[in-house]
Amino acid sequence: MNALYLGIDAGNSKTAALVSDATGTIAGAGRSGCGDIYGAVSPEAAVAEVLAAIDAALAQAGASRADVAWAAFRLAGVDWQEDRTYWEKALAGRFPSRSIRNDGYAAIRCGEPSGVGVAVAAGTAAAIAARGPDGTLWDMGWWGQHAMGALGLAIEAFRAVNLAELGLGRETALTTALPAHYDLSSVAELNHWFTRREGAATQTQKAGCARVVTAAATAGDPVAVEIVQAQGRHLATYAGVAARRTGLTAAGGPVSVVLSGSVLMADASPVAEAMLAELPARIPGAVPHRSTLPPVAGATLDALDEGGISLTEAVLDRLAGTLPPKTFLET
């Protein structure tokens, strides 16, 4: 069999893997559960999920692990050197030719094929990563001091309705909208469900109200507007840090900033609008790009590039044209 190239995007909501040949043709796809060593029930469970997605993709391609010429692992939870070391040991005997990085890097090539630029992904959580012109890398990891993504919106909305209920905050349409979203009758019931010792809402369930927050902001609720604008500022601010740390702003030229993730890619996203309004102040010369591919496709392009395959227009077009259906990658 011809050499294959493997891209993996592992997060908390899912892990996805794609297998491509040297022409960019996707030959197999697989998905599984949480591949984040911080978010899974154990690090070993995260490894098992990542390998399950890979094996499903290889089986669909009629291939084996031995056929993989290069694998690009883009994994949530690769935040410190010991995290990378853990994965290096876990994968050493399985995929000898590989790179292991935080999942934030997967999105860069989804809007900037050169792989040089900043990626700002806001899905359930947020991941920000950058690659400079000389190859310098930086990702936000645990440096982020603000809750961002859908979960960040949920946390701030939850705080706002509780303060309003106590008479310590402004009235907001979220007071009725949030409980209604979860088929609850009051803020008190919402507070109980979010915080009780047994049977409490999961992080994913909490994040599920993000669209309620953005809808309230779009409708003009002042509290929701403030939450959304703060989220946009935070995302732009950390993107600016990433650009500076990797030398992207040093030359004074254009800087590609790739937006991805459900919060930023939603139609008429007020979070994206807020971020884009703040971006020029944080990254002079910023050129925003909406992601045209799912993050796992960006990881696959990394695998091809790192494996010595030139990312020509033909390769990019073939990969985009042979991706699995959108429903395959939906959370």
Side-chain angles (χ1 to χ4, degrees):
M1 175 171 286
N2 293 330
L4 297 176
Y5 301 84
L6 174 64
I8 305 96
D9 173 44
N12 278 272
S13 59
K14 68 177 181 299
T15 296
L18 294 178
V19 174
S20 167
D21 67 16
T23 71
T25 302
I26 300 300
R31 64 172 289 167
S32 59
C34 176
D36 180 353
I37 57 176
Y38 285 85
V41 294
S42 69
E44 294 79 11
V47 173
E49 292 294 344
V50 168
L51 293 176
I54 291 170
D55 289 341
L58 289 170
Q60 190 177 93
S64 69
R65 296 177 185 177
D67 297 313
V68 176
W70 192 272
F73 290 85
R74 302 295 177 259
L75 311 170
V78 176
D79 298 316
W80 302 111
Q81 182 55 49
E82 59 264 33
D83 303 326
R84 187 171 292 103
T85 299
Y86 177 85
W87 278 105
E88 290 284 0
K89 291 178 179 178
L91 299 169
R94 297 179 169 110
F95 299 96
S97 300
R98 66 189 181 276
S99 63
I100 300 171
R101 293 185 186 132
N102 182 271
D103 62 329
Y105 293 101
I108 300 178
R109 292 191 198 271
C110 295
E112 175 49 67
S114 72
V116 175
V118 182
V120 182
T124 301
I128 296 174
R131 181 184 289 107
D134 64 353
T136 300
L137 301 174
W138 187 87
D139 54 87
M140 182 173 66
W142 291 102
W143 289 106
Q145 299 302 305
H146 302 84
M148 293 175 280
L151 190 58
L153 292 170
I155 289 169
E156 294 303 322
F158 180 60
R159 177 183 291 115
V161 300
N162 279 309
L163 289 173
E165 182 75 7
L166 295 173
L168 301 175
R170 290 174 294 168
E171 293 185 2
T172 170
L174 295 171
T175 296
T176 56
L178 286 191
H181 173 73
Y182 294 110
D183 293 325
L184 300 173
S185 62
S186 67
V187 171
E189 284 192 8
L190 180 69
N191 193 359
H192 183 216
W193 184 49
F194 268 34
T195 62
R196 64 196 186 203
R197 182 168 51 84
E198 296 181 353
T202 66
Q203 297 285 70
T204 300
Q205 288 171 322
K206 291 177 182 179
C209 71
R211 285 187 174 86
V212 176
V213 183
T214 55
T218 300
D221 179 74
V223 172
V225 167
E226 186 174 292
I227 291 170
V228 161
Q229 289 181 340
Q231 173 114 169
R233 287 196 303 273
H234 295 327
L235 291 168
T237 298
Y238 288 110
V241 173
R244 292 192 299 275
R245 290 292 181 99
T246 54
L248 284 162
T249 56
V255 179
S256 291
V257 180
V258 181
L259 281 63
S260 70
S262 58
V263 170
L264 293 176
M265 298 303 289
D267 291 340
S269 166
V271 177
E273 291 177 7
M275 178 190 156
L276 292 174
E278 183 74 15
L279 200 57
R282 303 297 177 178
I283 305 179
V287 180
H289 300 274
R290 300 275 182 167
S291 176
T292 57
L293 299 168
V296 67
T300 307
L301 289 172
D302 275 349
L304 286 161
D305 179 74
E306 293 167 0
I309 304 301
S310 178
L311 299 183
T312 64
E313 286 294 329
V315 168
L316 295 170
D317 290 345
R318 191 175 294 274
L319 182 139
T322 56
L323 288 172
K326 287 184 178 181
T327 52
F328 177 81
L329 294 170
E330 287 177 353
T331 301

